[in-house]
Amino acid sequence: MAIKVTGTPGWFCWKRLMATSTYSGAISTLPVGIYERGENGRSKADHPYWFLFNEQASDNWTSSAAWEYLISAKLFYGDGFARLLRPGPASNRIIGWEPLHPLSVDPFKKDGRVLYRVSPEGEPAYTLDSSDILHLPSLGFDGLRSPSPITYAA
């Protein structure tokens, strides 16, 4: 059964979907520079994280696809979330990152810190510290969540 997009409301939804796809697709192909601060300001760094953010985010995600998902989530839901992958719980080294669906992430504050409860579909929920997540907020960020720019502008 085909879905018909008719009338003004349907046309506007279709235009928003196409615009969002175009924006997120274009942004996802931009290179992410890795810089370090020095005594004379900042300079471009030769760092292993460049590969993670520009080529292969994880075993399951290319960086371009992961960025496109993150930007689309930010535009549709207000926030983009990604989990930083580490080789072990006590490690400070990052070996990858994977986008999370924004409806599966619930930020909350505890003892002055922002924590993130993640509830993947069909899996047990877990909590991530703010140091283990990338959070891309939008305009109107209240410290935990942002409104969707598309819904906000409608």
Side-chain angles (χ1 to χ4, degrees):
M1 179 171 165
I3 297 174
K4 283 188 169 184
V5 177
T6 59
T8 304
W11 179 245
F12 282 129
C13 290
W14 181 252
K15 284 172 49 176
R16 287 185 189 130
L17 177 65
M18 291 293 92
T20 302
S21 177
T22 302
Y23 296 148
S24 59
I27 290 169
S28 72
T29 61
L30 295 173
V32 176
I34 306 292
Y35 295 88
E36 61 186 355
R37 289 190 190 131
E39 293 177 12
N40 301 329
R42 70 179 194 162
S43 61
K44 200 163 192 166
D46 183 21
H47 199 281
Y49 290 171
W50 183 93
F51 187 79
L52 294 177
F53 289 107
N54 289 284
E55 297 292 334
Q56 191 73 30
S58 68
D59 291 340
N60 300 323
W61 288 87
T62 64
S63 293
S64 178
W67 281 117
E68 185 171 0
Y69 188 93
L70 224 58
I71 299 300
S72 293
K74 179 179 167 150
L75 292 172
F76 281 120
Y77 297 100
D79 296 286
F81 298 100
R83 177 173 59 115
L84 298 176
L85 306 174
R86 300 181 189 274
S91 177
N92 64 353
R93 194 168 56 95
I94 298 169
I95 58 171
W97 61 284
E98 293 182 333
L100 299 169
H101 194 285
L103 296 180
S104 72
V105 180
D106 182 28
F108 64 97
K109 286 189 177 182
K110 183 177 181 182
D111 299 328
R113 287 187 60 85
V114 177
L115 302 173
Y116 297 85
R117 185 174 300 106
V118 181
S119 306
E121 191 172 322
E123 296 178 31
Y126 56 92
T127 302
L128 292 173
D129 188 75
S130 57
S131 62
D132 291 323
I133 200 158
L134 288 176
H135 183 177
L136 300 180
S138 296
L139 295 173
F141 180 60
D142 66 2
L144 294 176
R145 282 283 194 179
S146 309
S148 163
I150 293 173
T151 305
Y152 196 71

